[in-house]
Amino acid sequence: MKMKPEWDKEFTDRLRPVEDEMHWLYNELYNDDHAYDYFLTMLWNSYQARSKDLRAWDRKRIKAGDWYKSSKMLGMCLYTDCFAGTIKGVQKHLDYIQECGFNYLHLMPLLESPKGRSDGGYAVSDFRKVEPELGTMEDLAKLNRACHKRGISVCLDFVMNHTSEDHIWAKRAKAGEKEYQDRYFFFDDWTIPRAFEETVPQVFPTTAPGNFTWCPEANKVVMTTFYPYQWDLNYRNPTVFNDMCENMLYLCNQGVDIIRLDAVPYIWKTLGTNCRNLPQVHTLVRIMHIASQIAAPGTLLLGEVVMEPDKVVPYFGTIEKPECHMLYNVTTMASTWNTVATRDVRLLQRQMNVVCGLPKQYMFLNYLRCHDDIGWGLDYDYLARFGIEQVAHKKYLNSFLTGNYWGSDSRGELYNDDPRLGDARLCGTTASLCGTEAAVYEKNDFKLKASIDLDVMLHAFLLTQSGIPVLYSGDEVGKLNDYSYHQDPLKKDDSRYLHRGKFDWNLAEMRKDPSTRQGMLFERLMKLIAIRKEHPLFDASADTWVLQTNNDCVLGLGRYYEGEKLLALFNFSENDQTAWINEGETYTDLISGETMDAKAVALGPHSFRWLYLNYNDPKFSGEKEEA
């Protein structure tokens, strides 16, 4: 394509190497050069609208390369209203965020959404307007600038599969305007929707059954994969793709560093398929990746793909043609809580073998808990080798983690419970699931110590994995379940609000007192975080492997990078265990400072070891040995 004379050198230098591919991909889907020309003009306009400071930020990020793969990266995920009331309130608490060592801040959905029909902010009525109760778009831009000055990157959700039924496009579609009905999936009767239903699974079969809703205003049926008030966008229409990309780049131009592509596997629909993970989805994400690298190259794409590994990994694209920069490590999270309930590390060990075998360029965002529920998408084919049946196992996991199993101190609640299928998911804060809530209620100091030990061990495991570890706000001080949502008519039917409660700043102040449970947990977590940032071996470029411990209760992981070696051992049992390893060198425990042999290592209940060796030490005769 001939470059336009008004385009400056920086823009054309970014566009030229990728334009042929982008043009080909775009027309593979749309075969519409007029729409493509509009798309290029939109990219230029978005680039021009980017502030001088953000352009400088882009150049800094380009020069730094894979800046987000450093071991110094640590994330916090929070709801603005729960954490600090407003966006300005979040800015006032940046000192706390920095004190905790967080330099990646994920602000949960804060764009305008209708009350009572928002699905926690995931039904957006205006992609360019902040929820008035939280502030303004200018407040968000100011917060982002303040974060950048502190070296903090900001992540924001971009809900791309659907809009709220209150979005201006939806309102005009309701009024009968065909141009806007064509931005969604409208049908005159139920014939085609019923054909879709034959192959398309239901996301929420108990709370929002079906994938279509009758729209009385338009006298038509509209596709609503998630909830009736969330209307699926029709990405077969190039106008939808162009305008949604422009909305994404608008958010980038407010200083957002990471765009979380919400529900991205669902965005392309084809009759006769399950409308999940279709090839066209990857084409769209690849184009979005290219577009962001042209107009706002300081921005990363984070894919929300809550599926099994073979469905997740393709969203990285390839090394030569990347799609998402980062993906959620959902399966490891679910497998971790499975291991807590079973005390058997074999499934988790299998999962870590898969992750360790992936190219180092693939970057995962790791977490123990997030805003959402825990879904039990485990490898049941593997579990079947041990006589474990899927429905019965899910029932056991939910029984154990809700405290309904003998001896369990976990306190969670079921989400989207379907007794017929036994397919409920689980909610709860990390501390409550670890037993802290039960210990506090019973005033049992022994149980309290045990719960904090488990909490710390799980976070040590989180911090050992390659990628960006992200803590859900409040986990750093052992926030417990908040049952007040039961009294809120707008929230009482959604148990995910159990772990979305208000951040109690009075309790957070107790982190400074080591005699309190908040202080005990905070001090130990901050030590782990400091150690991780100090040692480059936690970098995503490190070699990683699963260490055989010959004990089904103990998980072992190894890391090696530029002469540094780590053997990490995690006891998922409430009893003393031994990791039956036999390494030749003498190691230092990074937590206790103890020097020890890595042979038949003893581990207390729910404890862990970070055994460290530095081959750069002069005692190794100046030669780096192979790990």
Side-chain angles (χ1 to χ4, degrees):
M1 175 180 180
K2 185 178 179 180
M3 301 294 159
K4 296 183 179 180
E6 64 268 26
W7 294 349
D8 67 22
K9 184 177 184 303
E10 186 173 49
F11 182 80
T12 54
D13 283 351
R14 293 176 189 165
L15 174 62
R16 189 174 285 108
V18 294
E19 200 277 328
D20 283 346
E21 180 195 356
M22 186 165 64
H23 187 195
W24 188 87
L25 290 172
Y26 194 96
N27 276 335
E28 182 185 36
L29 292 180
Y30 300 121
N31 193 26
D32 189 334
D33 274 327
H34 176 73
Y36 180 71
D37 187 61
Y38 178 91
F39 182 75
L40 287 179
T41 301
M42 178 275 292
L43 288 185
W44 165 248
N45 291 337
S46 297
Y47 164 81
Q48 275 197 309
R50 201 150 170 82
S51 71
K52 181 180 177 181
D53 287 345
L54 286 176
R55 290 198 194 187
W57 187 250
D58 290 337
R59 297 180 195 114
K60 181 179 177 182
R61 287 280 170 83
I62 291 171
K63 186 176 180 180
D66 293 339
W67 55 271
Y68 58 99
K69 296 183 178 180
S70 165
S71 62
K72 293 180 169 57
M73 293 298 295
L74 179 69
M76 171 188 268
C77 175
L78 60 85
Y79 278 95
T80 297
D81 57 338
C82 295
F83 183 74
T86 64
I87 293 171
K88 288 181 178 178
V90 173
Q91 187 168 339
K92 289 177 182 177
H93 286 296
L94 288 181
D95 284 345
Y96 172 81
I97 290 168
Q98 254 190 324
E99 176 194 341
C100 296
F102 299 117
N103 51 18
Y104 172 113
L105 187 61
H106 181 181
L107 303 173
M108 295 304 296
L110 47 70
L111 300 180
E112 188 177 73
S113 301
K115 293 289 182 295
R117 292 175 293 115
S118 72
D119 185 28
Y122 288 99
V124 178
S125 56
D126 192 331
F127 289 96
R128 303 194 180 198
K129 188 175 180 182
V130 168
E131 190 66 52
E133 294 175 0
L134 302 179
T136 65
M137 193 59 73
E138 178 56 30
D139 292 337
L140 178 61
K142 285 180 179 177
L143 170 62
N144 293 338
R145 288 195 292 271
C147 285
H148 288 175
K149 289 178 181 178
R150 295 171 180 253
I152 299 172
S153 300
V154 178
C155 174
L156 194 68
D157 290 76
F158 182 60
V159 184
M160 61 181 303
N161 178 71
H162 46 259
T163 73
S164 162
E165 63 178 343
D166 286 11
H167 191 281
I168 185 60
W169 299 348
K171 289 180 177 178
R172 295 183 73 167
K174 286 180 183 179
E177 294 186 50
K178 187 177 186 307
E179 176 189 348
Y180 290 92
Q181 289 185 355
D182 288 345
R183 296 190 179 207
Y184 300 96
F185 292 90
F186 273 92
F187 303 96
D188 292 331
D189 57 39
W190 288 92
T191 304
I192 296 178
R194 287 193 185 103
F196 268 105
E197 294 284 17
E198 290 179 9
T199 58
V200 180
Q202 300 179 63
V203 177
F204 301 122
T206 57
T207 55
N211 292 282
F212 294 86
T213 300
W214 177 256
C215 177
E217 296 90 342
N219 200 35
K220 292 186 177 184
V221 182
V222 62
M223 180 176 272
T224 56
T225 297
F226 289 86
Y227 284 100
Y229 49 76
Q230 292 169 315
W231 289 11
D232 288 59
L233 287 165
N234 181 4
Y235 279 91
R236 291 177 175 273
N237 182 342
T239 301
V240 169
F241 181 64
N242 290 348
D243 287 356
M244 289 300 285
C245 274
E246 188 171 13
N247 283 330
M248 179 189 76
L249 292 172
Y250 174 83
L251 295 174
C252 295
N253 284 346
Q254 309 311 306
V256 175
D257 301 282
I258 299 98
I259 296 290
R260 177 184 179 272
L261 301 178
D262 179 69
V264 65
Y266 300 81
I267 62 176
W268 193 271
K269 313 295 196 298
T270 298
L271 186 63
T273 73
N274 66 359
C275 296
R276 312 279 198 273
N277 304 301
L278 299 182
Q280 295 86 346
V281 173
H282 294 281
T283 301
L284 291 172
V285 177
R286 174 60 183 156
I287 297 172
M288 293 173 74
H289 181 107
I290 296 171
S292 66
Q293 296 311 291
I294 293 169
T299 306
L300 305 177
L301 300 183
L302 167 63
E304 190 240 357
V305 187
V306 187
M307 295 177 179
E308 55 271 27
D310 63 324
K311 299 291 194 305
V312 171
V313 170
Y315 284 88
F316 283 118
T318 65
I319 304 303
E320 298 77 20
K321 299 184 185 301
E323 296 175 21
C324 294
H325 297 84
M326 298 182 293
L327 295 172
Y328 285 99
N329 194 350
V330 180
T331 307
T332 297
M333 181 277 295
S335 298
T336 299
W337 289 106
N338 170 81
T339 310
V340 169
T342 63
R343 293 82 149 179
D344 188 326
V345 304
R346 285 175 291 181
L347 178 64
L348 184 56
Q349 181 175 283
R350 178 180 172 86
Q351 167 65 16
M352 295 311 300
N353 261 321
V354 172
V355 174
C356 291
L358 294 173
K360 295 183 180 63
Q361 292 89 343
Y362 291 173
M363 190 70 175
F364 279 109
L365 192 151
N366 303 307
Y367 61 105
L368 292 175
R369 291 298 299 113
C370 68
H371 71 289
D372 223 338
D373 55 277
I374 302 173
W376 299 118
L378 307 175
D379 187 345
Y380 291 103
D381 289 338
Y382 176 73
L383 290 174
R385 300 180 188 179
F386 308 102
I388 294 174
E389 191 272 328
Q390 182 174 161
V391 172
H393 190 61
K394 286 180 178 179
K395 287 182 177 179
Y396 165 72
L397 294 175
N398 285 324
S399 178
F400 184 91
L401 291 166
T402 54
N404 290 311
Y405 192 85
W406 184 88
S408 169
D409 289 314
S410 290
R411 295 294 181 265
E413 286 187 358
L414 298 183
Y415 173 70
N416 221 41
D417 185 17
D418 185 348
R420 181 176 58 89
L421 299 175
D423 208 22
R425 292 177 274 182
L426 191 87
C427 301
T429 67
T430 298
S432 288
L433 293 179
C434 285
T436 300
E437 181 179 323
V440 170
Y441 178 79
E442 296 174 19
K443 298 180 181 179
N444 187 318
D445 290 340
F446 175 82
K447 284 188 176 183
L448 180 61
K449 180 185 180 303
S451 71
I452 293 174
D453 286 345
L454 175 57
D455 200 324
V456 173
M457 185 273 287
L458 292 177
H459 278 93
F461 170 55
L462 171 70
L463 294 167
T464 304
Q465 298 170 53
S466 290
I468 300 178
V470 176
L471 277 67
Y472 190 66
S473 171
D475 275 2
E476 72 280 7
V477 290
K479 185 176 179 296
L480 304 180
N481 291 338
D482 185 342
Y483 297 95
S484 65
Y485 84 93
H486 287 289
Q487 281 71 54
D488 188 328
L490 297 180
K491 298 178 179 178
K492 65 180 182 179
D493 294 326
D494 189 342
S495 58
R496 290 175 298 181
Y497 286 102
L498 180 70
H499 50 255
R500 296 176 181 174
K502 296 282 187 184
F503 188 84
D504 191 328
W505 286 98
N506 292 322
L507 289 178
E509 279 297 307
M510 294 183 182
R511 73 188 185 278
K512 300 172 183 177
D513 182 352
S515 69
T516 65
R517 67 174 182 84
Q518 291 85 0
M520 286 187 282
L521 177 63
F522 186 79
E523 182 178 33
R524 293 173 69 182
L525 292 183
M526 291 306 106
K527 183 174 182 177
L528 295 180
I529 289 166
I531 291 172
R532 186 179 193 273
K533 291 190 175 186
E534 179 185 344
H535 290 280
L537 65 81
F538 290 101
D539 192 277
S541 299
D543 291 322
T544 60
W545 66 95
V546 172
L547 185 66
Q548 297 301 322
T549 65
N550 300 299
N551 184 331
D552 290 342
C553 294
V554 179
L555 178 72
L557 298 176
R559 300 186 66 86
Y560 180 85
Y561 186 67
E562 295 184 347
E564 289 188 310
K565 181 179 178 182
L566 181 77
L567 303 179
L569 303 168
F570 307 95
N571 179 10
F572 278 82
S573 167
E574 63 271 45
N575 301 313
D576 291 334
Q577 297 291 336
T578 300
W580 298 104
I581 62 175
N582 187 19
E583 300 283 326
E585 307 94 345
T586 299
Y587 290 77
T588 300
D589 188 318
L590 287 176
I591 306 303
S592 67
E594 174 188 1
T595 299
M596 60 186 296
D597 292 331
K599 299 178 180 179
V601 179
L603 294 157
H606 287 147
S607 69
F608 70 99
R609 294 273 194 178
W610 272 354
L611 302 182
Y612 173 75
L613 182 64
N614 189 353
Y615 289 111
N616 299 307
D617 192 293
K619 69 182 180 182
F620 289 101
S621 303
E623 294 185 10
K624 297 179 182 178
E625 296 184 11
E626 293 294 327

